[in-house]
Amino acid sequence: MQFPQALETVLQTLERMRDETGCRPCASRTVLDALKQTPSPRKIDPPSPSLRRAGGDDAKDVKKTEKLAAVQERVRPCTKCPNLASSRTQTVFGVGNPDADIMFVGEAPGADEDAQGEPFVGRAGQLLTKIIKAMGFPREEVYIANVLKCRPDVPAGSFGNRPPTPREMQTCRPYLMEQIDIIKPKVIVALGAVAVEGLLGTRAPMRELRGRWDSFNGTPLMITYHPAYLLRNQSPSEKRKVWEDMMLVLERLEKPISEKQRNYFL
């Protein structure tokens, strides 16, 4: 029954009870007249499934962002490795979409990253950004982090970077574990042998590791060369290997691969 008919039925019943029976309803003529003037309620359609999903996704992203920010606040003043805390400019936590399908994990910040506070912003980072775009993703849509959140210290007057020690990686590893647990990526890409050791505890030559699937706590993990390796080794065949690894990632994510992408060289 629609609202107008239902209201009319109620009014008629109340009036009949008032006029014809001894059971007088507790409703005055003033109230009855006011009810007659009550507008019909406007029908409100329920939100569409797509809007409900969007709202849920937004809430989920906000929650993940807040959780990551809380971890970052604990990382910022960390002094668990005194030598790194005393030599760093700042900690380098991670950057990207908290709900990313792909998470790239490198080894440690370099000089550019230490200065800017963001992972993979130097020459190797520029190459990684190029790879990500060739895969069909904006850099902002993936998540990028390192095993270490501090740049490994080097002797005064030295240039370049040094790899993290096993102890440094073990000390910093819980922060990375929290990042992965919050983001819950569909695929993790380990960039280089140090990242593989930090994630899986595996030590082996990259020629034996790259291009194969592993698993990290149930999440598919692809091992490939670090972009810095490609800057040192400009061989087209080595660059092609990395791109083939990335096509395997796209296939695992069930993303379409164009003919241009299949023939692409870095």
Side-chain angles (χ1 to χ4, degrees):
M1 183 182 292
Q2 298 298 314
F3 180 79
Q5 292 96 337
L7 179 59
E8 184 63 27
T9 299
V10 171
L11 292 173
Q12 289 175 359
T13 301
L14 289 173
E15 289 178 340
R16 187 170 63 252
M17 290 175 64
R18 181 182 180 90
D19 297 335
E20 299 177 0
T21 74
C23 298
R24 299 172 62 83
C26 296
S28 67
R29 291 285 182 187
T30 302
V31 172
L32 294 175
D33 290 340
L35 280 171
K36 289 180 179 179
Q37 303 301 318
T38 302
S40 300
R42 181 172 60 89
K43 182 180 179 182
I44 301 175
D45 294 328
S48 67
S50 61
L51 287 177
R52 287 198 296 269
R53 285 195 299 271
D57 289 345
D58 289 344
K60 179 174 64 175
D61 288 352
V62 169
K63 191 172 183 180
K64 286 186 174 185
T65 300
E66 290 174 350
K67 287 183 176 180
L68 286 170
V71 179
Q72 185 171 9
E73 283 305 306
R74 287 190 282 110
V75 168
R76 198 186 312 277
C78 180
T79 56
K80 292 179 181 179
C81 302
N83 58 313
L84 303 186
S86 63
S87 64
R88 74 187 181 214
T89 300
Q90 58 193 314
T91 55
V92 182
F93 183 67
V95 67
N97 181 2
D99 201 34
D101 287 343
I102 309 176
M103 182 171 180
F104 291 88
V105 178
E107 56 180 70
D112 292 319
E113 290 74 19
D114 179 65
Q116 298 185 41
E118 182 175 328
F120 283 91
V121 293
R123 290 181 62 220
Q126 293 168 16
L127 179 53
L128 178 61
T129 299
K130 181 181 178 182
I131 293 170
I132 293 168
K133 289 183 177 179
M135 294 174 72
F137 297 96
R139 177 180 164 107
E140 297 77 19
E141 283 304 308
V142 304
Y143 197 89
I144 305 172
N146 284 307
V147 175
L148 246 61
K149 309 309 182 192
C150 297
R151 184 192 181 198
D153 55 333
V154 294
S158 300
F159 296 95
N161 302 307
R162 72 162 175 85
T165 66
R167 182 173 182 176
E168 289 168 345
M169 287 193 285
Q170 190 63 30
T171 301
C172 205
R173 190 175 188 270
Y175 295 134
L176 178 62
M177 300 306 99
E178 289 190 77
Q179 287 175 294
I180 295 172
D181 186 58
I182 293 169
I183 295 164
K184 291 180 170 56
K186 294 179 179 177
V187 171
I188 298 171
V189 178
L191 300 169
V194 174
V196 175
E197 183 178 354
L199 286 164
L200 303 177
T202 301
R203 275 192 173 189
M206 278 300 294
R207 64 178 178 274
E208 298 176 8
L209 296 173
R210 65 139 293 270
R212 78 178 197 201
W213 285 105
D214 214 303
S215 177
F216 178 81
N217 291 346
T219 301
L221 183 145
M222 170 56 64
I223 300 171
T224 195
Y225 289 121
H226 193 287
Y229 168 79
L230 298 181
L231 294 177
R232 298 191 301 269
N233 189 333
Q234 296 289 327
S235 167
S237 62
E238 295 301 280
K239 293 181 177 181
R240 179 63 188 180
K241 289 175 183 176
V242 172
W243 184 242
E244 289 172 352
D245 298 341
M246 295 306 97
M247 284 195 289
L248 291 175
V249 171
L250 291 176
E251 289 175 356
R252 177 59 66 98
L253 293 173
E254 298 182 346
K255 298 291 184 181
I257 302 176
S258 67
E259 194 63 29
K260 180 179 179 181
Q261 286 175 310
R262 293 194 182 279
N263 297 321
Y264 183 73
F265 278 83
L266 298 178

